[in-house]
Amino acid sequence: MESAVSRPAVRFSGTALKTIACASMLIDHIGASCLEVGVLSSGANVWASRADVVLRLIGRLAFPIYCFLLVEGFVHTHSVRRYALRLLLFALVSEVPFDWAFFAKPFDAGYQNVYFTLLAGLACLWLLRRFEAPGWQNRLAQAAA
């Protein structure tokens, strides 16, 4: 009978995960802003269309990694308020370049960058933590009154 060989678990540091997520997001944005908005909108060939699909699929790796890092940051931060303010600052600063790249105008009210979504996720985590603590029913009743 063979014995099971234990393999060491593959572990990534936070920096490695951020690097992977940033590279994946960059690849996605090249596909979205350069190919979809630029080349494909001008009636490009099938190869550009296939390259766009591949780039966008690679880019789909970024969001789950960013969500994981958000939760890790929430668990380990000393101040959720400062963490939220940093996310809001990045959301506001990156909105204009995002809108220029994808919509060719400085502001598009119909679609915002992912930092706003991550900020909403952070708010949900904070609310879950608040309601998880003993006495949350009393605090909720006081807030509603």
Side-chain angles (χ1 to χ4, degrees):
M1 187 169 254
E2 289 184 35
S3 64
V5 176
S6 64
R7 296 182 189 168
V10 176
R11 295 178 187 237
F12 292 102
S13 67
T15 302
L17 286 174
K18 289 175 195 173
T19 304
I20 292 168
C22 284
S24 173
M25 185 175 65
L26 176 65
I27 291 167
D28 177 74
H29 285 31
I30 288 170
S33 65
C34 296
L35 289 179
E36 284 182 19
V37 175
V39 176
L40 293 179
S41 64
S42 64
N45 62 19
V46 174
W47 293 106
S49 178
R50 289 182 182 161
D52 175 58
V53 169
V54 170
L55 294 177
R56 299 303 305 270
L57 284 173
I58 292 169
R60 297 296 166 238
L61 184 61
F63 187 71
I65 295 172
Y66 282 129
C67 290
F68 172 77
L69 292 169
L70 179 83
V71 173
E72 283 292 310
F74 173 76
V75 169
H76 296 291
T77 189
H78 294 291
S79 174
V80 175
R81 176 177 285 151
R82 287 191 337 202
Y83 192 26
L85 287 174
R86 283 192 306 271
L87 274 174
L88 178 61
L89 177 68
F90 277 104
L92 294 173
V93 167
S94 63
E95 185 61 24
V96 171
F98 175 80
D99 288 340
W100 272 113
F102 290 98
F103 306 109
K105 54 186 174 181
F107 182 72
D108 183 66
Y111 195 75
Q112 276 66 49
N113 65 61
V114 74
Y115 280 111
F116 290 105
T117 305
L118 293 172
L119 182 60
L122 182 66
C124 290
L125 289 171
W126 179 79
L127 284 171
L128 284 171
R129 180 184 278 173
R130 295 283 295 172
F131 291 144
E132 180 181 73
W136 69 268
Q137 294 92 347
N138 295 337
R139 285 193 301 278
L140 186 61
Q142 289 172 351

